[in-house]
Amino acid sequence: MARANQIRQLYAMCATALVMGRADLDGADDVGFDIELPIFTVGQAAELAGIHPQTLRQYDRLNLVRPQRTDGGARRYCLRDIARLARAQRLSQDEGINLSGIARILSLEEENRQLRREIKRMQSSGGESVFAAGRDGNIVEVQRSNRARLWRNAIRRETRELPGRPAFPSSRADKGARAAEESPYNDDSKSMVLWGW
């Protein structure tokens, strides 16, 4: 129980740093915080973000900040939600932006954050990237393994003989007669095919 309280205190300190602008979600994620962990109640989230609890409920109804729900239906906020709440409050109070504008700004900022993390992950992988089409049609990165690379190299070097086409006679009569007698793939000439790509 004491460990759970310590974890809650660490998350509360991280949330406070996010609200004050001394930390960001990328940094919190990098040092090991689970930014999706639903840990804060409505009252705690309101206190941390400096927002009235009724405003939190309004933001939830408007899909501005959607907290997770417990089995009993109670709202639980994560670090990402706290950061969004604080940002929404600043945009509303300081900049005078309406709620639909705030929703769009928050959506774009989250998309931008996800793209930055994806770029950082791709740059830190240190190797070549392979991309494929996912089931939904989106482009996805496929992790390369040495085993797959060795297999592809072996396939590229492997050759296989296939029967070649015979040289057809020049006249149509001879061509028709010969085609009836034998398959075009029965001669001794061979073609070489390189498997792979």
Side-chain angles (χ1 to χ4, degrees), residues 11-13 15-16 19 40 43-51 82 86:
Y11 273 82
M13 289 182 348
T16 302
V19 169
F40 305 108
Q44 292 168 336
E47 184 181 336
L48 286 166
I51 298 175
I82 301 295

Side-chain angles (χ1 to χ4, degrees), residues 17-157:
L18 289 170
V19 169
M20 295 176 71
R22 293 184 179 168
D24 62 4
L25 287 175
D26 290 337
D29 193 22
D30 289 343
V31 297
F33 283 100
D34 181 358
I35 61 174
E36 299 292 333
L37 182 67
I39 195 167
F40 305 108
T41 64
V42 171
Q44 292 168 336
E47 184 181 336
L48 286 166
I51 298 175
H52 192 276
Q54 193 61 35
T55 305
L56 294 181
R57 292 179 182 93
Q58 181 184 6
Y59 285 176
D60 187 12
R61 281 191 299 273
L62 297 172
N63 291 328
L64 197 61
V65 177
R66 297 290 314 233
Q68 299 176 39
R69 302 274 184 160
T70 64
D71 293 336
R75 293 175 178 93
R76 292 291 182 263
Y77 293 85
C78 63
L79 289 174
R80 175 176 288 157
D81 296 332
I82 301 295
R84 286 176 65 94
L85 288 170
R87 181 73 171 131
Q89 186 70 1
R90 280 193 298 274
L91 289 170
S92 174
Q93 300 298 317
D94 299 342
E95 305 294 330
I97 298 173
N98 65 18
L99 292 179
S100 62
I102 292 171
R104 184 68 179 141
I105 290 169
L106 292 177
S107 173
L108 290 172
E109 286 178 347
E110 180 60 25
E111 184 178 334
N112 191 5
R113 191 185 77 77
Q114 292 291 342
L115 290 172
R116 279 194 319 269
R117 291 199 58 77
E118 184 69 19
I119 289 169
K120 183 178 177 182
R121 186 185 63 75
M122 290 172 62
Q123 288 174 340
S124 67
S125 66
E128 297 176 1
S129 295
V130 176
F131 298 91
R135 290 182 188 202
D136 57 358
N138 289 332
I139 296 174
V140 295
E141 184 179 10
V142 179
Q143 297 295 324
R144 294 184 78 167
S145 69
N146 285 336
R147 185 175 184 192
R149 188 175 295 121
L150 294 174
W151 177 78
R152 280 192 298 275
N153 288 338
I155 286 178
R156 286 186 182 128
R157 288 190 298 267

